[in-house]
Amino acid sequence: MSGVPDPGNGRGDRRDRPQRNRKWAIPEAGGALAAARRRALALAGPLARPIGSLVAVRTQAPEVVLTFDDGPEPGGTDRVLSVLSDHAATATFFVLVDRARRHRSLVRDVLAGGHEIGLHGMDHQRLSRLPSAVVRTLLASATAELEDLLGTQIRWFRPPYGAQTPVVWRAARRQGLTSVLWGPCAWDWLDRPPELLAAQALRGLGPGAVLLAHDGHAGPEDGADDGPRPAFDRGDLVRRVLAGLDERGLRGRSLSDVLATGEARTVPWFLR
């Protein structure tokens, strides 16, 4: 097989292809009117802000945001952490709380490695299909349990499959969470050779891009139906991606690390 994974085959169709591939031009806000609007929104509180999700960071630094979903998972998270350590890279891990509860040592390892943790969900159910009351309850419970497990507040939330409605967005905001989606994607829920997945992941990567990858694989026990577990070594894939970043003069960093010198880029929920 040659080339990169075909997003039109297999589970690519169920993962909302437009969300993973479409590129959006984000207009720059400026002028007195925009400044006044920003001040008014800040005074109005978080629930009055535009319904949008972070998709990239405006930055001049040669840094890419590395994100990993669906963990923690033995045999995946630990291998990813080892490679990140070898390259002095940091990342943001969006975890499933049911898994974090079972694999607390891996959660501690993520934090000990200088990485950050965000919420992916109590499990991997598609929240956009659930009643609003259920969504609010699930996100409130998941946030509280994850923060209790970590001993600190969390900032970031990534809805499973990137599936988001105003109900999901507002439920996350009520918990003080910012919704985070992505730009380039590794398509690593597909069982393909790591070199092909790495080539796909590196497409379109530049300063401030948010890369979606995975340190685990959600299955029926997580409320997901994403097919067989891939057999490739996730550590090998991450090693290839980081080598590609090195060749481009880029560094892999967590979202908070990149935002330390940059500014969030967001799009309205209905564009994703």
Side-chain angles (χ1 to χ4, degrees):
M1 183 174 62
S2 62
V4 298
D6 178 3
N9 293 331
R11 281 169 287 129
D13 288 334
R14 294 205 296 272
R15 289 259 182 167
D16 301 323
R17 283 174 292 169
Q19 294 184 14
R20 298 184 181 273
N21 290 318
R22 189 165 180 178
K23 297 180 181 179
W24 304 101
I26 311 300
E28 298 286 344
L33 182 59
R37 181 174 179 274
R38 288 194 297 269
R39 286 195 297 270
L41 289 171
L43 291 173
L47 292 181
R49 295 174 189 165
I51 300 178
S53 298
L54 187 152
V55 295
V57 178
R58 293 186 181 91
T59 181
Q60 298 299 315
E63 298 176 337
V64 168
V65 180
L66 300 179
T67 68
F68 295 93
D69 288 8
D70 295 0
E73 180 175 294
T77 306
D78 46 341
R79 294 180 182 179
V80 169
L81 289 174
S82 177
V83 174
L84 292 174
S85 177
D86 290 343
H87 285 76
T90 60
T92 300
F93 289 77
F94 289 95
V95 305
L96 301 176
V97 176
D98 284 347
R99 287 184 167 213
R101 188 189 308 125
R102 297 196 303 269
H103 305 297
R104 294 172 183 246
S105 63
L106 283 177
V107 173
R108 291 193 292 269
D109 290 344
V110 170
L111 296 178
H115 312 289
E116 68 177 348
I117 289 177
L119 175 65
H120 198 26
M122 186 67 78
D123 54 24
H124 210 276
Q125 293 185 80
R126 190 182 294 263
L127 296 176
S128 60
R129 294 177 178 171
L130 300 179
S132 57
V134 174
V135 171
R136 290 193 293 269
T137 299
L138 280 175
L139 284 184
S141 299
T143 302
E145 183 172 349
L146 184 56
E147 290 184 339
D148 184 63
L149 179 62
L150 301 178
T152 185
Q153 288 187 324
I154 54 176
R155 300 176 61 186
W156 314 119
F157 167 64
R158 172 170 286 160
Y161 304 104
Q164 190 167 232
T165 63
V167 168
V168 174
W169 185 90
R170 290 191 178 96
R173 291 302 304 177
R174 285 190 177 94
Q175 302 307 315
L177 303 174
T178 296
S179 178
V180 179
L181 297 181
W182 58 85
C185 173
W187 290 88
D188 55 348
W189 61 92
L190 301 174
D191 196 4
R192 300 287 189 269
E195 62 269 21
L196 302 185
L197 298 176
Q200 174 69 22
L202 289 164
R203 286 185 173 184
L205 276 182
V210 176
L211 173 65
L212 170 65
H214 296 77
D215 60 314
H217 180 76
E221 70 277 12
D222 305 299
D225 181 19
D226 294 335
R229 184 179 305 277
F232 65 83
D233 184 338
R234 295 193 180 276
D236 184 26
L237 171 58
V238 175
R239 184 178 295 106
R240 293 173 184 274
V241 170
L242 292 176
L245 293 181
D246 288 342
E247 293 174 358
R248 292 160 171 79
L250 297 169
R251 299 188 300 271
R253 311 296 291 168
S254 71
L255 178 55
S256 291
D257 284 347
V258 179
L259 281 172
T261 58
E263 179 184 357
R265 295 178 61 184
T266 61
V267 295
W269 70 271
F270 54 80
L271 290 182
R272 300 291 293 190

